[in-house]
Amino acid sequence: MIEVGEYRVKEGLYYTKDHEWVQVLEDGTVLVGISDYAQKELGDLAYVELPEVGKEVSKGEVLCELESVKAVSEVYAPLSGEVIEVNGELEDSPELINEDPYENWIAKLKPSNLDEELGELMDAEAYAEYLESL
């Protein structure tokens, strides 16, 4: 884990400038969640609008919405692909993301262009440097 001030950055993941993370699984699918920075900026989450299983998303499109006591925030698809699973626990317990944003993923995608799009994301070290610049 890399510490950047009060924020934690988990190594081995890929990150976007919008503070989503991607974990590539052995079968080539990916988990998507939000970073520690994002969950702290949002504050206490009150509701997670999960994407529909089967939904096709393009990189940069809205994947789902998170509602906190402060605001409604959009989560963008870090990669193009199909939503093949969602973390249903978040429907009843959105605060799980606040407790551990790296263990509590939002959606699992079957990416359509993994190698090319993954190369456009930041690794943990680059994301930590990006956070230092904010």
Side-chain angles (χ1 to χ4, degrees):
M1 202 67 78
I2 301 172
E3 303 284 334
V4 181
E6 65 179 297
Y7 308 113
R8 297 175 308 122
V9 177
K10 185 172 179 179
E11 295 176 88
L13 304 179
Y14 296 88
Y15 296 87
T16 71
K17 287 188 173 182
D18 293 315
H19 312 289
E20 291 88 13
W21 58 257
V22 171
Q23 179 182 0
V24 181
L25 304 177
E26 285 181 14
D27 64 1
T29 61
V30 299
L31 297 178
V32 176
I34 63 167
S35 72
D36 190 42
Y37 175 88
Q39 71 86 12
K40 282 189 167 113
E41 288 296 300
L42 282 168
D44 293 336
L45 289 173
Y47 179 71
V48 177
E49 182 186 308
L50 294 169
E52 282 187 38
V53 172
K55 177 180 180 176
E56 292 282 341
V57 291
S58 296
K59 180 179 176 176
E61 278 185 358
V62 174
L63 179 65
C64 66
E65 288 187 345
L66 304 177
E67 287 183 32
S68 71
V69 290
K70 290 189 205 174
V72 175
S73 183
E74 295 175 331
V75 175
Y76 300 99
L79 302 169
S80 302
E82 178 187 355
V83 177
I84 57 171
E85 192 178 332
V86 295
N87 187 349
E89 288 184 13
L90 299 178
E91 287 182 318
D92 294 327
S93 304
E95 70 279 359
L96 289 172
I97 292 175
N98 293 120
E99 291 168 14
D100 191 338
Y102 298 116
E103 287 301 316
N104 294 291
W105 52 277
I106 295 169
K108 184 190 274 191
L109 302 179
K110 181 179 177 183
S112 53
N113 197 3
L114 181 63
D115 294 336
E116 185 179 318
E117 291 183 347
L118 204 56
E120 298 167 4
L121 301 179
M122 294 177 275
D123 64 14
E125 290 77 18
Y127 181 66
E129 286 178 25
Y130 173 67
L131 287 181
E132 288 172 1
S133 74
L134 298 180

